[in-house]
Structures are given as structure tokens and as C-alpha cells.
Amino acid sequence: MTSTPAGSITVTMEGSNKSTTLPLLGGTLGPKVADIRKLYGELGIFTFDPGYGATASCESTITYIDGDEGVLLYRGYPIEQLAEKSHFLEVCHLLLNGDLPNAAQYEEFHKGVTYHTMLHEQLRRFFEGFRRDAHPMAVMCGVVGALAAFYHDNLDINDPRAREIAAFRLIAKVPTIAAMAYKYSLGQPFVYPRNDLSYAENFLYMLNAVPAEPYVSNPILARAMDRILILHADHEQNASTSTVRLAGSTGANPFACIAAGIAALWGPAHGGANEAVLKMLAEIGSPENIPHFISEVKDKNSHTKLMGFGHRVYKNFDPRAKIMKETCHEVLAELGIKNEPLLDMAMEMERIALSDDYFISRKLYPNVDFYSGIVQRAIGIPVPLFTAIFALARTVGWIAQLNEMIGDPEYKIGRPRQLFVGAAPRNVVPLAKRG
Ligand code: CMC
């Protein structure tokens, strides 16, 4: 453990004379954490925290979020600076290895990733088993999980070299798989990766190139894609990352763990929100319908949410949303799009929501997904692919978190407890005698 002692708290059980003193742990940043591990042994009680909103499940050195201040740091570096001054593969090196690479380290890392961009030819046949209208996330769950069937040499998570190669393979192949899922849905030929292009350019190339036409890459759009990848690369212990850690805690192989993360990311409350934002904007249709939609959101019985708003940790502007909004304007300017009705509607929605007491009192601000869908649509990404791109970007974060867990000498299988509220013990009555 690298946390430091930071005092203690005493817990006393009302109505009994039992009490215990629990250590408080301090990290580099953020609130102190009560170490409750001996609570059950000493007082016979568990803690209750559905949704884990108040529970630190691990020590981590990777990503720090200050939700009240709207701060996001990868390994100490502010997300704004990384988005401006670095590229996605540098950020991958940072997340995996703890620091930004120097030129020689970058060269080696870049080679390590690009060496693995192609898929085993036999994997191509997997795609034919899917319907053409399959959601790309369904294809990603299946094909990424299936990588374990091809790389038996990478399945031992306790072997650091096997983990390193699995990391390269996953980071390199996930864009190829996402692009193939899209090409398959169109009925177009798969496009093999090009290692002379940057990571983001190569992904756009595999999505958009066709054998019949020359392909011209647009550096502004490639930069915007790169930025989307940086912004989504890690976000500490969110639902999909915790899923990856939990799956990995059983000793499952890295390909299976990342497939589990992709499944968890798919939900509309998590990575699926970017797709849901565009659907929501399309359904609202035009700005004059926004007030009615907002009143529906505020009506508890409607179960309608303002997608792209709110966050478990950010109770202030999501810093990624700010960068995404700027990127959105840059991309539209580059493409010469003066009027983008969806962007106009999103900005009007943001204006109305941020002046409405419902959202102000609940500290609901736009999150990264509010603008990322609009940027992706402008780049020419089809809506069903949005969440797959989130998965593509987050793969490196999941691997970094998985590796960190495996390297922690204190890690053990994840196994939460419960507050049982079901039936007390009772006897089985034979079927014939049951009333
Ligand atoms: N629209 C309307 N009301 C909301 C929203 C929203 N988007 N988000 C939260 N609320 C309300 C919620 O109903 C509750 O109200 P009340 O106190 O009256 O019961 C209050 O705000 C607190 O919300 P919560 O459900 O306790 O918050 P949570 O931390 O459990 O949920 C969230 C966080 C992201 C799941 C939720 O805000 C949400 O569903 N947002 C929309 C989906 C979305 O945009 N997700 C992307 C998150 S960022 C990218 C990622 O991490 O994947």
C-alpha cells in the first residue's frame, strides 16, 4: 500500500458498549478514506453502499477526478493540457507506464502497437455470423472476447510480458474490429489497417476508405478524433472499469476482461449516452419543443432523462465536455458548416437547463457525451458506432487499471457482501401438500 496513515475514526454501536477504532488513509489528492476491513471482525457489521458512491474499492495511481472543481488528471497531467499538447498514443503510454514517453520510448511503443493492428484472417469469418444490422457493440463484445481463442500465449495475467503483449494487441486491434463491424453493416469490403498513418487517421481510413477510390485523410478531422480518444481514455473507477477489475480479480484473461468492460459500457447510463443524446435531439426535433421536453424530464413519473447531463462524480462542468464543445466548433468551422441544427439545439438545451432550478439544485451539468455525439456526427461517424469508439478509447484505461490491480500485492477476488432482506429459514412442504 502506498497510502499514508491519516488519523482514525471511532465507531460506536448505539445500545451496546462495543466500539472500534478504524484507521483513516490519506492519498496524494482527495478525501481521506476510512479503512473498514476490520469492522465486521470487531463489531460484526457490514457497510451498506448501493452503487458504491461512498466506497473506494482500490488504491490507484492512474486517474484523479475532483468532481466539485471539474478537474480530471491522468497520472497528474490535466486533461486540457493532454488534449492540446499530446496525441492518443502518448496518452496510452502515459496511462500504461506512468509517464509521457520521450522520443525513443514513443518510437518503441508506437512500433509495439502498430505491429499488431491486423486481425487473424480467421477472425474475419466471425463477422459473417452476425446480422448486417447488428449493433457494433454486440459485435465488439463477441469479437474482442474471441481474441482469447487466438492468443493462447497471452492468457496468463500473472505473466507481465504476456500482459504487455495482450495490451499491445488489444489497443492495436480494437479499432480494426470497430471499423470492420461498420464495414460489415454497410456490406463494403473490410479495409486493412495502414501503419504509416497515425492511430486516429488509420481508424478513420479503415472506416471511410473503399478500394475503388483514392483516400485523402483530413488532418483536422483526424486531430478531432484523436482528441475524442484522449478525452475518453480513462475515468477512474466507473462502472465499466470496475467491471474489468472485478472480472480480472478472478484471474480471467485480459481479452475476456475487456469484453466484459465493453458490455458494461454499452448501457445508456454509461457509454451508450452519446448515442442516446443524438436520438434525444432528433426526437425533440426543433428548439421550440425544448421547454416541453424539459418539463417532461422534471416530471418524476415520466422517467425521461436529459441524456448527456449529470454525472456520479462531477457536480460541476465535466472538463471533457468543455473541450468537446470547443472541438465541435473547430470541426464545424473546418468543414464549413455554418448551421448545424443539432449543435444549435444542444446549445439552447444547455442554456435552458443551466438556468433551471431543477438542474441547478441537483448540480446537473453537461457531461462528455453531450457534445461528443455532435462532433462524431460531423466527422462522419455513424451514430451506432459512437459507443464503439468510446470502447476503443477506453480499452487502454481498462488495461492500465487491470494491470495496476494485478500488480497490487493486496488484490484479491472482488466479492461484495449484501444486506439480506428475503425470507428467513423455512421448511419445504411437498408439492401435494402445498396450498
Ligand atoms: N436528467 C434528469 N435528471 C437527472 C439526470 C438527468 N440526466 N441525472 C440525474 N438526475 C436527477 C435524478 O433523477 C436525481 O433526482 P432526485 O434527487 O430528485 O431523485 C438526481 O438528479 C441525482 O441523480 P442520481 O440518479 O442519484 O445520480 P447518479 O450519480 O446515480 O447518476 C448518471 C449519474 C450519469 C447515471 C445520471 O446523471 C444519468 O443517468 N445521466 C444521463 C445519462 C448520461 O448522460 N450518462 C453519461 C455519463 S458521462 C459518460 C460516462 O461516464 O459514461
Side-chain angles (χ1 to χ4, degrees):
M1 289 231 292
T2 49
S3 54
T4 49
S8 61
I9 53 163
T10 300
V11 180
T12 305
M13 266 171 88
E14 260 179 44
S16 85
N17 56 2
K18 283 180 165 180
S19 77
T20 186
T21 300
L22 301 174
L24 285 177
L25 306 175
T28 330
L29 299 164
K32 291 175 188 169
V33 168
D35 180 348
I36 58 163
R37 281 176 287 183
K38 64 175 191 175
L39 195 60
Y40 181 70
E42 303 231 326
L43 297 185
I45 57 174
F46 292 142
T47 52
F48 185 59
D49 184 20
Y52 312 118
T55 297
S57 61
C58 59
E59 279 190 356
S60 185
T61 59
I62 302 171
T63 293
Y64 175 75
I65 302 172
D66 183 333
D68 295 321
E69 297 298 323
V71 169
L72 170 60
L73 310 174
Y74 293 166
R75 303 275 190 191
Y77 295 109
I79 191 68
E80 295 81 0
Q81 292 185 28
L82 290 168
E84 190 194 330
K85 297 181 184 166
S86 68
H87 286 94
F88 180 64
L89 273 191
E90 292 171 64
V91 170
C92 290
H93 185 284
L94 170 70
L95 290 170
L96 289 171
N97 301 314
D99 219 334
L100 287 165
N102 61 29
Q105 287 165 334
Y106 180 77
E107 177 80 0
E108 196 183 333
F109 186 76
H110 179 264
K111 226 188 266 168
V113 172
T114 51
Y115 183 73
H116 293 286
T117 49
M118 291 200 304
L119 290 194
H120 192 294
E121 277 297 294
Q122 221 154 303
L123 260 175
R124 295 163 68 92
R125 296 205 206 138
F126 276 62
F127 289 83
E128 283 153 29
F130 290 101
R131 284 170 51 132
R132 295 267 174 195
D133 61 356
H135 194 284
M137 287 296 274
V139 178
M140 299 273 286
C141 286
V143 179
V144 172
L147 291 174
F150 287 79
Y151 301 110
H152 295 141
D153 55 327
N154 288 160
L155 303 187
D156 178 6
I157 58 164
N158 295 313
D159 174 353
R161 178 65 185 148
R163 285 208 310 272
E164 188 184 25
I165 299 177
F168 283 144
R169 285 192 163 133
L170 280 158
I171 295 166
K173 292 183 200 303
V174 166
T176 314
I177 294 169
M180 285 169 80
Y182 175 56
K183 286 298 195 191
Y184 182 74
S185 74
L186 296 181
Q188 287 185 6
F190 296 137
V191 174
Y192 285 98
R194 264 182 57 189
N195 292 348
D196 60 320
L197 299 176
S198 75
Y199 190 88
E201 267 178 325
N202 173 51
F203 177 59
L204 291 175
Y205 163 73
M206 289 189 291
L207 281 186
N208 297 320
V210 287
E213 302 280 344
Y215 178 79
V216 184
S217 100
N218 179 327
I220 303 273
L221 301 191
R223 182 73 188 124
M225 175 52 72
D226 191 81
R227 199 169 278 175
I228 290 169
L229 300 181
I230 291 174
L231 296 182
H232 288 88
D234 194 50
H235 215 225
E236 51 119 310
Q237 310 311 320
N238 54 78
S240 57
T241 302
S242 299
T243 301
V244 170
R245 280 187 179 251
L246 207 51
S249 77
T250 69
N253 70 73
F255 304 105
C257 295
I258 301 307
I262 293 171
L265 185 75
W266 192 358
H270 194 6
N274 50 19
E275 189 177 337
V277 168
L278 275 225
K279 277 199 188 125
M280 173 188 76
L281 292 173
E283 275 165 25
I284 296 170
S286 70
E288 63 268 19
N289 299 331
I290 295 176
H292 174 72
F293 177 77
I294 296 278
S295 63
E296 213 173 281
V297 167
K298 288 157 62 176
D299 174 4
K300 283 270 162 215
N301 298 321
S302 79
H303 300 293
T304 305
K305 287 226 158 138
L306 177 44
M307 299 312 286
F309 258 67
H311 197 274
R312 170 60 61 78
V313 182
Y314 292 120
K315 300 303 170 196
N316 197 325
F317 244 90
D318 176 342
R320 302 169 302 171
K322 278 190 193 165
I323 304 170
M324 201 55 89
K325 190 174 174 181
E326 282 165 27
T327 306
C328 195
H329 286 290
E330 274 170 35
V331 167
L332 295 178
E334 161 64 18
L335 296 175
I337 302 175
K338 296 222 168 54
N339 279 323
E340 168 50 272
L342 282 182
L343 177 62
D344 296 344
M345 258 192 14
M347 291 203 309
E348 178 61 2
M349 192 106 115
E350 180 186 309
R351 193 190 63 74
I352 294 176
L354 293 182
S355 55
D356 188 308
D357 190 54
Y358 176 94
F359 297 92
I360 296 169
S361 62
R362 289 171 178 77
K363 299 186 174 168
L364 299 172
Y365 290 87
N367 60 50
V368 67
D369 290 320
F370 195 65
Y371 285 103
S372 74
I374 301 170
V375 180
Q376 292 189 58
R377 211 181 83 128
I379 297 177
I381 306 287
V383 175
L385 213 56
F386 290 179
T387 314
I389 289 172
F390 194 156
L392 186 174
R394 185 57 57 85
T395 294
V396 64
W398 289 329
I399 299 168
Q401 299 272 352
L402 183 62
N403 284 349
E404 182 177 72
M405 180 188 74
I406 295 162
D408 182 345
E410 294 205 19
Y411 104 86
K412 42 171 90 168
I413 186 168
R415 179 42 169 107
R417 304 305 296 252
Q418 63 174 0
L419 173 58
F420 181 69
V421 293
R426 50 187 174 156
N427 293 320
V428 175
V429 177
L431 179 60
K433 293 191 175 171
R434 267 175 245 152

